[in-house]
Amino acid sequence: MLYRIEVSPVDKSADARAIIATEKINEFLNLPVQISYTRDVYTIGADLSRDQVEDISQAICNPIIQEARINEQSAPSEWILRIGFSPGVTDNVARSAANAIEDLIGRKLTNDEAVFSCVEYLFDGAKIEQVQEAGEKLLGNPLIQSIEVFSSEQAAKNELPDHFPQIDAVENDQVDVYNLHVSDDELVRISEQGTLALTLDEMKAIQQYFIAQGKTTERQELGLNSSPTDVELEVLAQTWSEHCKHKIFDAIVDYEDTVSGESATYTSLYKTFIKDATSEVGESVDWLRSVFTDNAGVIGFNDEVDLVYKVETHNSPSALDPYGGAMTGIVGVNRDPMGTGQGANLLGNVWGYCLASPYTEQSEIPEGLLHPRIIRDGVHLGVIEGGNQSGIPYTYGWEYFDDRFLGKPLVFCGTIGTLPVEIHGEKGYEKEILPGDLVVMTGGRIGKDGIHGATFSSEELHKDSPVQAVQIGDPITQKKMYDFIMEARDRNLFRFITDNGAGGLSSSIGEMATECDGVYLDLSKAPTKYAGLQPWEILLSEAQERMSFAIPKEKIKAFQDLSDIYEVEVSVLGEFRDNGKFHMAYKDRTVAYMDIEFMHKGYPRMQIPATWVPPVWEDPVLNDEDAIADFEPFLGRLNLCSGEAKARQYDHEVKGLSVIKPYVGINRNVVSDATVFMIEPLSSEGVIVSAGVLPRYSDVDTYHMTASVIDLSVRRIIAIGGKLGHIAGLDNFCWPDPVLSSKTPDGPYKMAQLVRSNQALKDICTSFTIPLISGKDSMKNDSTMGGKKISIPPTLLFSAISKMDDISKAVTLDSKDAGDLVYIIGETKDELGGSEYLASKGFTGSKVPQVDVPGAIAIYKAVSNTTEAELCKSLHTPAVGGLAAALAKVSIGGDLGLEIDLDKIPQESGLSISELLYSESNSRFIATIAPENKEKFESLLAGIAFAEVGTVTSEKDVKLSKDGACVVKANVDTLLNNYESTLAYE
Amino acid sequence: MITKVNALIITGFGLNCEKETATAFEQAGAEVTQIHLNRLIETPEVLENSHILAFIGGFSFGDHLGAGTVFTSRVRHHLGSQLQKFVDDGKLVIGICNGFQTMARLGLVPAVNSEYSTVQAALAHNNHHTFRDDWVTLKGNENSPCIFTKGIKEIEVPIRHGEGKFVMADEKLFQKLKDNNQIVFQYQNSNGEVATEFPENPNGSRDAIAGVCSPNGRIFGLMPHPEAYLSPYNHPHWTRQKQNGTLPEKGAGQKIFDNAVEFVKENF
């Protein structure tokens, strides 16, 4: 029978969830409604006695602050808004409730028994439509949740229907076949109808393969013919997706530079620029361990551990369901290091979001897209809860705002881990599979979640984007699995591990099969959340929290026994072979039989045109009076202001390793250039984490955008006290579709932007001796929702990681003591193109910052010498916002004033105040030092551009003078207020 | 007087501070055993052989149904009597953050009137209803019987929680809690006073309570994380402390674990 347990706060007036929801609805939807309180409702469908349910209710309800009702509906308010998950969507709260119930009743719940949770909001002073609107637009997401409104009369009569979204389905082993003996038009239609994202050329390659294969007796004996099964076609679509095969980066590119008149043909940008750059750098460093081959990059750290790092994007799912999509992003990328080598320990997360302004007018949002404020709140909360519940601190985070991210937000999530250098006598980063090893899956059960995720993210966002592509993460299921994996690794219970990400089993097993050249799987052995999944759905489901293993037969018993302790589900699905075949069965019937060689190499290479025609941008005449007046409010701009209100909701101290935190300064309120954490508790060795992203520079030239983001990431490492020499980089490309088509007539330009970015990546990384150890690309960041095409600006996130031998040499950016001398190092140039300042005036400009690599290297070596000698009391590097933003942050961080003589700043001749303050020239620093160290400090900087420009003052004003006269006097508290108020909402 | 002090740390189901908590006890000179809750249920004698039990921080069962709720249910049903004996033997228990929430749900703290199985207090959602990570200053109660905090007048440590607002419904019990000096730590503002305002009082706790102990001072629960301040380089201002010569040799959080191990050595 069904039981309803309703848990309400005792003190309803102090229900924070109600108060905050009310505030949001009032403010954001402009609806004058009042939520009197909220309550949690659990619906239990199980064979239980009333007494047992009473016990359960007591265990669930905290008697000090809550009261519970069983099967008794109360309704002191006008309306009840109920939000619960739709059928089949992961309900993590209910899963934990089931755990508690099982402990209380002393047995496991049967397959016919289930628990569901939902939240009920009690509304007063509203119309039913308003309650519905609040539910659909703000408190819930109709894509994954049922949102219902009931009246108090219904509740008074105990007539609220139960929230019990159980799926009643029966086993479905149906396998369809696709007749590909059809016209080209029909092939295209088959691809489009099935969200397969396969091109005509690819469909034809598949057609030809199966016509040839259909004639083989091998295939005929298995009951198959020249028409592929749905399992086969779906596997190929997934394996060949842009998401999995990176076809654009692998394409043949015909590049033409209309400025120089040069043209070139590149076969694979990835091999030509990224891989080759790392090979070149690899000749001069001895700490590369495993790059580009595994789930994450691995570099050496010390004699005990290697360092593992991976950054991913989760853009499309986050556009549809910001909370679920982003949570899956963070817990998903956790599994990359977890599945690298023999399995890494996870140490830290990073995140970064490119979003449209949360203050965008509702009328400017194309139909079908979510408001950026909803996206921002949801994305943060998803990564906050995913990271916090996984017990992994965030080490670095950032946000970047531009209106073009309205179509698709970019959600970057990354994870850093460590791998023991040696595990059971083997290198920790190596692993293998032998024929005869068992195919084993662990973790969450399979449902329809995330089916077509890989192919869907290989398309633009359109009105028919598949709803089931959204997944919900379950960090606790994954944490249990992670704890289990760490012990299984240390006890040597498996031979190979990898993660199940996009494409699910199809992808993980498909890739594992290449290790020993063959695999056999019985899909009926895979555990499912509910009946009714067809074989192809089991294979492609992207249900979360799963890892795949190769396990020697003699170890499976010990592996399973250990999994019982950790309450992790383990399924043996088949075995690895060496017959060259990807062989899938459902019970005894073969449902897919393909050559592994064809699966991974059978797709035709794309050929893409790329033509570079530089854009023409006006350079406006700027007024110095404006530049002076703009100084004080400038820090309030979205790309410069503090994100602390959100950042503090992320745990950044768990594990006790944090040394330089994301926010620094005497009041811990200014975002740090980079962060440092210890490699283990009480260690003197640490890891420096930094990143750079400058999408607006792409509007001028992606070559200089790329050079600048690399320089920015590197100089942030220098600014925290690091040095050149042991720095590795990760490249994450997010591009609008660059392939010429009727939908993308400007493809050749966007492809040329991609080529130029890659050229710079190679040029700059090899010059700085930075190997690229891992990367990812997301190439279809366009939206056609509401009939309006929005493409993101080409965005490259460059993430840098470095070893710090002695963490006690780290420096922060905040000024420390009045009387300290202020230095500016590096030259300021006439480089306002793409700057935040020009954007604030509605311009782009043409003079985008460039990087003088030899000059930068000289500066970085000299500055590192000053931090090595412990001479810098503070050190900061200007980025977006130039010296104006940087000086203000140094001052706010120290809660002290500054007196700066603008004329002394090292600069190209003839710069105006606008250019001096707001130019975003690369490779610059602001340092403060004790006066007694002046001579020593200056001697270490000999040969590079630097100057003493002023002093730190106890008087809390930032005073800037020109030609002997004070031109700017900005109060530090006012600056702080401007810095904090823009994004102050939690 | 004993020389070998055994500290037991329960792990699993989303708890996540085992490594730093183990480091803290090891630095204090204890032998540390980390054990998954399911293994402890299978081998409860491990508890019997320990002197100090730690309920650590993390997100047991994702904090679903309220922090500590599901974990408490399992502990109560499978280890209830062994835990009662551990307490009756006068052994030490510390609960940090999620561990404090679990202990409050079990009734181990504040246990006014030495009633160790009655729920008397709750850690409710923070007033802002969001998780918060920040450093706070705590005021130590010098008159408290708490074993763990002897000699601590003031300490800076990080907090990281979404449900840390200390609530007691029964006024008489609350008065007794105060009278018995069971209030061990209170959030303190920059003037050295008990903090009433956010963010110095990060969650809206009554009387700014950050930690409480049992009447005999042997069971201690607190929301902040002393195990996350073992290294002097954890402090948010360590670069300043280094420049002005005030950088301590150890992180201040270590003292709480040192006190516990020292007490066991002298009294068991």
Side-chain angles (χ1 to χ4, degrees):
Chain A
M1 95 158 256
L2 285 186
Y3 292 97
R4 171 190 159 100
I5 302 179
E6 181 187 295
V7 180
S8 308
V10 172
D11 181 1
K12 297 187 172 48
S13 65
D15 179 10
R17 185 164 59 185
I19 295 166
I20 283 153
T22 302
E23 274 172 16
K24 275 193 176 173
I25 297 167
N26 296 162
E27 178 200 340
F28 190 71
L29 295 178
N30 225 348
L31 295 177
V33 303
Q34 176 72 38
I35 299 172
S36 57
Y37 73 99
T38 66
R39 61 195 185 200
D40 297 293
V41 176
Y42 306 93
T43 316
I44 305 168
D47 185 16
L48 301 173
S49 68
R50 173 80 191 195
D51 284 351
Q52 283 177 311
V53 178
E54 293 279 354
D55 286 348
I56 291 164
S57 156
Q58 277 178 23
I60 289 177
C61 173
N62 188 326
I64 307 296
I65 48 177
Q66 294 172 324
E67 55 193 21
R69 284 192 173 77
I70 299 170
N71 288 354
E72 184 193 329
Q73 300 169 356
S74 66
S77 295
E78 263 179 285
W79 302 107
I80 299 161
L81 169 69
R82 178 194 288 170
I83 300 180
F85 288 109
S86 304
V89 179
T90 310
D91 183 344
N92 293 326
V93 173
R95 188 197 305 261
S96 291
N99 273 309
I101 291 168
E102 289 173 344
D103 278 325
L104 280 158
I105 63 176
R107 66 170 176 88
K108 292 274 171 201
L109 293 176
T110 68
N111 282 341
D112 297 330
E113 296 175 321
V115 184
F116 292 97
S117 77
C118 62
V119 177
E120 292 180 349
Y121 296 79
L122 286 96
F123 277 77
D124 282 313
K127 299 193 186 90
I128 184 167
E129 310 82 55
Q130 294 176 323
V131 176
Q132 190 75 35
E133 185 186 352
E136 285 174 4
K137 287 202 177 145
L138 207 63
L139 302 174
N141 183 347
L143 209 55
I144 51 163
Q145 289 167 320
S146 61
I147 296 165
E148 300 165 288
V149 184
F150 307 109
S151 69
S152 56
E153 289 85 31
Q154 281 171 283
K157 292 187 227 155
N158 249 16
E159 281 176 0
L160 298 188
D162 287 303
H163 173 71
F164 202 73
Q166 199 167 26
I167 294 180
D168 288 316
V170 290
E171 189 175 341
N172 181 358
D173 61 358
Q174 189 183 334
V175 175
D176 297 321
V177 291
Y178 284 93
N179 177 11
L180 298 187
H181 298 270
V182 295
S183 68
D184 288 1
D185 286 351
E186 186 61 14
L187 287 177
V188 169
R189 199 192 60 81
I190 290 172
S191 170
E192 280 175 0
Q193 275 200 339
T195 318
L196 299 177
L198 289 164
T199 64
L200 177 60
D201 284 350
E202 289 162 350
M203 285 300 286
K204 285 173 101 164
I206 293 169
Q207 180 190 46
Q208 282 158 23
Y209 173 78
F210 282 101
I211 286 171
Q213 286 296 307
K215 292 174 186 149
T216 61
T217 50
E218 208 180 346
R219 188 165 170 89
Q220 287 163 5
E221 278 168 11
L222 292 167
L224 303 172
N225 56 33
S226 61
S227 294
T229 64
D230 54 6
V231 181
E232 290 171 325
L233 196 58
E234 292 282 354
V235 166
L236 288 172
Q238 178 278 128
T239 309
W240 292 5
S241 66
E242 176 57 40
H243 189 95
C244 294
K245 277 289 177 235
H246 312 287
K247 290 179 287 195
I248 293 171
F249 261 84
D250 196 43
I252 295 165
V253 183
D254 297 310
Y255 175 70
E256 188 194 348
D257 181 341
T258 62
V259 181
S260 66
E262 286 166 36
S263 61
T265 299
Y266 301 114
T267 303
S268 176
L269 295 180
Y270 166 66
K271 287 205 179 70
T272 309
F273 295 106
I274 298 174
K275 222 172 164 188
D276 275 13
T278 298
S279 304
E280 204 177 312
V281 173
E283 284 167 19
S284 57
V285 303
D286 61 1
W287 40 265
L288 285 186
R289 298 289 180 266
S290 167
V291 290
F292 303 128
T293 52
D294 211 330
N295 292 309
V298 187
I299 59 170
F301 186 83
N302 62 19
D303 293 342
E304 305 290 318
V305 293
D306 291 331
L307 209 51
V308 186
Y309 195 8
K310 173 65 173 268
V311 177
E312 270 279 14
T313 48
H314 224 228
N315 309 336
S316 302
S318 303
L320 295 177
D321 174 24
Y323 172 79
M327 177 184 272
T328 314
I330 195 71
V331 294
V333 78
N334 286 166
R335 288 195 303 276
D336 281 312
M338 205 188 290
T340 294
Q342 296 184 41
N345 302 75
L346 308 181
L347 280 194
N349 285 334
V350 300
W351 48 263
Y353 316 129
C354 292
L355 306 166
S357 165
Y359 300 110
T360 306
E361 290 292 332
Q362 192 71 46
S363 58
E364 290 172 31
I365 315 288
E367 199 183 327
L369 291 176
L370 294 174
H371 192 280
R373 162 96 188 242
I374 304 262
I375 292 186
R376 180 172 189 258
D377 287 351
V379 164
H380 273 288
L381 193 62
V383 179
I384 286 166
E385 295 197 346
N388 290 0
Q389 293 181 20
S390 301
I392 303 167
Y394 109 85
T395 59
Y396 199 72
W398 52 268
E399 291 178 279
Y400 188 92
F401 295 91
D402 185 285
D403 288 344
R404 287 168 286 178
F405 294 111
L406 194 60
K408 252 201 200 176
L410 304 184
V411 175
F412 297 92
C413 293
T415 304
I416 300 162
T418 54
L419 259 175
V421 167
E422 201 182 281
I423 300 173
H424 308 293
E426 308 283 340
K427 290 190 174 82
Y429 58 84
E430 287 183 349
K431 53 190 168 188
E432 61 172 352
I433 296 176
L434 299 181
D437 284 353
L438 299 172
V439 179
V440 176
M441 187 189 98
T442 65
R445 296 190 143 230
I446 295 175
K448 295 200 180 193
D449 8 2
I451 286 175
H452 284 152
T455 48
F456 149 66
S457 67
S458 304
E459 298 181 329
E460 89 274 8
L461 206 57
H462 54 75
K463 67 175 175 32
D464 299 320
S465 293
V467 168
Q468 73 270 27
V470 175
Q471 316 126 29
I472 303 241
D474 178 1
I476 295 305
T477 293
Q478 180 154 309
K479 175 74 165 102
K480 289 194 291 188
M481 181 172 69
Y482 166 69
D483 291 349
F484 160 66
I485 289 170
M486 289 298 105
E487 183 168 347
R489 177 196 76 184
D490 293 343
R491 288 175 51 186
N492 201 12
L493 297 182
F494 56 81
R495 197 156 13 228
F496 192 101
I497 178 173
T498 196
D499 101 280
N500 277 310
L505 280 175
S506 162
S507 174
S508 67
I509 304 298
E511 279 172 33
M512 285 170 87
T514 62
E515 294 282 325
C516 58
D517 204 25
V519 68
Y520 172 82
L521 219 66
D522 178 354
L523 296 170
S524 73
K525 301 238 170 93
T528 55
K529 292 182 194 173
Y530 36 82
L533 269 73
Q534 286 179 255
W536 75 266
E537 292 177 311
I538 294 173
L539 194 54
L540 262 78
S541 165
E542 297 185 6
Q544 295 293 299
E545 296 84 39
R546 292 182 295 148
M547 301 291 281
S548 292
F549 297 80
I551 297 184
K553 286 197 173 85
E554 67 275 14
K555 290 186 178 171
I556 189 66
K557 173 79 172 54
F559 189 81
Q560 283 168 326
D561 287 348
L562 184 64
S563 75
D564 288 343
I565 299 275
Y566 286 91
E567 297 184 16
V568 171
E569 191 155 17
V570 167
S571 317
V572 178
L573 304 179
E575 66 172 24
F576 289 99
R577 295 180 172 171
D578 56 2
N579 60 355
K581 298 293 182 184
F582 183 78
H583 188 171
M584 301 290 112
Y586 190 86
K587 296 188 175 153
D588 294 330
R589 170 182 168 208
T590 291
V591 298
Y593 192 76
M594 292 186 287
D595 289 289
I596 286 170
E597 173 87 9
F598 176 71
M599 272 176 68
H600 290 285
K601 291 178 182 158
Y603 62 94
R605 209 165 214 158
M606 291 172 81
Q607 187 142 9
I608 309 174
T611 311
W612 174 243
V613 184
V616 179
W617 296 107
E618 180 193 351
D619 290 302
V621 178
L622 296 168
N623 176 336
D624 277 350
E625 277 173 29
D626 287 347
I628 288 164
D630 290 335
F631 181 85
E632 203 172 67
F634 193 50
L635 271 190
R637 290 188 56 80
L638 279 171
N639 281 330
L640 303 175
C641 71
S642 169
E644 189 187 355
K646 290 285 187 200
R648 290 230 171 263
Q649 296 175 46
Y650 295 76
D651 192 330
H652 48 269
E653 304 277 354
V654 59
K655 295 183 188 291
L657 302 175
S658 105
V659 173
I660 300 296
K661 300 169 204 297
Y663 279 78
V664 296
I666 189 144
N667 294 314
R668 310 181 300 284
N669 56 0
V670 178
V671 69
S672 182
D673 289 315
T675 60
V676 181
F677 65 86
M678 291 176 262
I679 196 77
E680 60 177 291
L682 305 176
S683 172
S684 59
E685 290 177 321
V687 178
I688 308 176
V689 185
S690 83
V693 67
L694 296 162
R696 277 194 198 133
Y697 291 11
S698 296
D699 293 335
V700 185
D701 189 342
T702 49
Y703 186 95
H704 299 300
M705 176 278 285
T706 303
S708 294
V709 293
I710 300 167
D711 185 78
L712 178 56
S713 311
V714 171
R715 69 185 194 253
R716 282 177 163 162
I717 285 178
I718 306 298
I720 213 79
K723 52 188 157 203
L724 293 173
H726 203 125
I727 302 176
L730 284 74
D731 56 281
N732 282 80
F733 286 87
C734 286
W735 234 251
D737 185 2
V739 182
L740 174 64
S741 71
S742 58
K743 279 188 295 187
T744 313
D746 56 349
Y749 174 70
K750 288 169 173 167
M751 194 65 200
Q753 287 183 303
L754 187 64
V755 170
R756 294 182 67 75
S757 178
N758 273 276
Q759 289 171 333
L761 193 62
K762 182 174 181 186
D763 291 350
I764 308 296
C765 284
T766 50
S767 306
F768 276 138
T769 322
I770 295 176
L772 295 159
I773 58 166
S774 172
K776 207 69 197 262
D777 56 277
S778 164
M779 306 302 292
K780 308 272 170 154
N781 292 292
D782 311 273
S783 165
T784 55
M785 291 277 198
K788 186 178 175 192
K789 180 164 180 178
I790 308 177
S791 296
I792 65 157
T795 302
L796 171 66
L797 168 65
F798 194 83
S799 307
I801 189 162
S802 180
K803 181 182 177 185
M804 186 167 213
D805 295 326
D806 180 359
I807 56 164
S808 76
K809 300 276 176 78
V811 203
T812 56
L813 66 82
D814 45 304
S815 62
K816 299 297 188 298
D817 294 297
D820 287 346
L821 308 179
V822 182
Y823 283 79
I824 291 180
I825 302 158
E827 198 175 47
T828 300
K829 298 169 187 163
D830 175 11
E831 290 181 323
L832 277 170
S835 68
E836 188 64 22
Y837 190 67
L838 282 196
S840 77
K841 301 288 175 199
F843 290 94
T844 297
S846 69
K847 297 168 188 167
V848 72
Q850 305 196 6
V851 180
D852 162 19
V853 178
I857 290 173
I859 290 172
Y860 299 161
K861 284 183 175 166
V863 173
S864 295
N865 288 338
T866 69
T867 54
E868 183 63 30
E870 302 182 66
L871 297 176
C872 293
K873 288 176 81 172
S874 78
L875 188 60
H876 179 38
T877 184
V880 176
L883 285 175
L887 288 167
K889 283 187 197 169
V890 170
S891 175
I892 291 171
D895 200 26
L896 293 165
L898 289 173
E899 269 183 34
I900 305 291
D901 183 346
L902 295 180
D903 296 315
K904 289 187 177 162
I905 294 173
Q907 58 192 278
E908 271 181 351
S909 61
L911 291 195
S912 65
I913 292 182
S914 308
E915 288 152 356
L916 262 178
L917 285 179
Y918 301 109
S919 169
E920 295 177 8
S921 295
N922 288 301
S923 320
R924 294 177 298 166
F925 297 90
I926 301 171
T928 64
I929 68 162
E932 63 267 26
N933 289 327
K934 178 179 163 72
E935 207 174 307
K936 242 176 165 177
F937 183 76
E938 292 186 357
S939 73
L940 287 175
L941 295 181
I944 62 169
F946 77 94
E948 183 190 333
V949 297
T951 53
V952 178
T953 61
S954 56
E955 189 189 351
K956 282 174 58 177
D957 288 312
V958 175
K959 287 187 190 164
L960 309 179
S961 61
K962 182 108 174 72
D963 302 326
C966 178
V967 291
V968 169
K969 183 179 172 194
N971 179 266
V972 176
D973 291 330
T974 310
L975 288 169
L976 174 64
N977 185 48
N978 294 339
Y979 181 56
E980 289 187 334
S981 53
T982 307
L983 288 176
Y985 71 89
E986 290 179 329
Chain B
M1 175 97 188
I2 60 162
T3 52
K4 185 167 166 286
V5 177
N6 296 325
L8 184 67
I9 294 172
I10 303 179
T11 65
F13 299 112
L15 295 176
N16 57 35
C17 298
E18 60 269 20
K19 193 166 181 184
E20 55 270 39
T21 311
T23 304
F25 279 117
E26 279 160 9
Q27 291 295 309
E31 298 259 331
V32 180
T33 304
Q34 299 180 42
I35 191 165
H36 191 281
L37 177 60
N38 281 353
R39 282 198 174 115
L40 184 60
I41 289 169
E42 281 178 10
T43 55
E45 59 275 13
V46 177
L47 185 59
E48 174 79 37
N49 297 332
S50 306
H51 304 103
I52 307 170
L53 172 64
F55 288 104
I56 57 172
F59 280 82
S60 59
F61 296 95
D63 277 2
H64 306 138
L65 289 76
T69 301
V70 184
F71 200 81
T72 296
S73 170
R74 183 159 297 187
V75 169
R76 186 182 282 146
H77 284 85
H78 297 284
L79 291 166
S81 57
Q82 291 90 342
L83 194 59
Q84 185 61 49
K85 178 166 189 316
F86 192 88
V87 170
D88 292 344
D89 289 347
K91 291 178 173 177
L92 304 190
V93 189
I94 185 168
I96 301 168
C97 199
N98 199 218
F100 182 25
Q101 293 159 340
T102 298
M103 293 208 309
R105 284 292 254 149
L106 284 165
L108 284 180
V109 278
V112 177
N113 301 326
S114 300
E115 292 167 7
Y116 289 102
S117 51
T118 315
V119 181
Q120 296 176 341
L123 282 314
H125 279 285
N126 297 352
N127 276 355
H128 283 231
H129 211 265
T130 54
F131 183 97
R132 184 170 172 84
D133 177 316
D134 198 4
W135 278 65
V136 293
T137 305
L138 305 178
K139 187 187 187 71
N141 177 356
E142 291 175 78
N143 298 317
S144 165
C146 185
I147 304 302
F148 295 83
T149 57
K150 289 275 172 267
I152 301 177
K153 287 182 195 163
E154 188 183 302
I155 183 172
E156 290 172 284
V157 273
I159 49 114
R160 325 187 294 253
H161 62 251
E163 296 173 51
K165 177 173 148 180
F166 186 86
V167 179
M168 265 176 94
D170 186 320
E171 287 304 320
K172 279 188 199 147
L173 283 180
F174 187 70
Q175 194 53 49
K176 259 192 138 169
L177 179 87
K178 276 189 181 168
D179 295 346
N180 294 344
N181 286 306
Q182 286 177 254
I183 298 173
V184 179
F185 278 146
Q186 289 167 291
Y187 301 107
Q188 180 178 296
N189 67 20
S190 53
N191 299 326
E193 299 153 352
V194 167
T196 51
E197 301 298 320
F198 181 86
E200 283 99 346
N201 177 339
N203 48 37
S205 266
R206 183 168 188 184
D207 285 28
I209 291 173
V212 296
C213 66
S214 59
N216 66 3
R218 295 187 184 202
I219 307 179
F220 175 42
L222 75 168
M223 287 313 300
H225 288 272
E227 82 288 3
Y229 185 23
L230 304 179
S231 161
Y233 300 103
N234 287 136
H235 195 284
H237 296 155
W238 73 262
T239 57
R240 287 165 187 274
Q241 292 170 335
K242 185 181 155 196
Q243 285 167 18
N244 63 27
T246 59
L247 188 69
E249 215 165 281
K250 287 182 191 173
Q254 183 62 50
K255 175 87 173 154
I256 285 172
F257 304 91
D258 290 350
N259 278 339
V261 172
E262 197 58 33
F263 179 84
V264 171
K265 278 185 186 164
E266 284 171 8
N267 292 278
F268 281 78

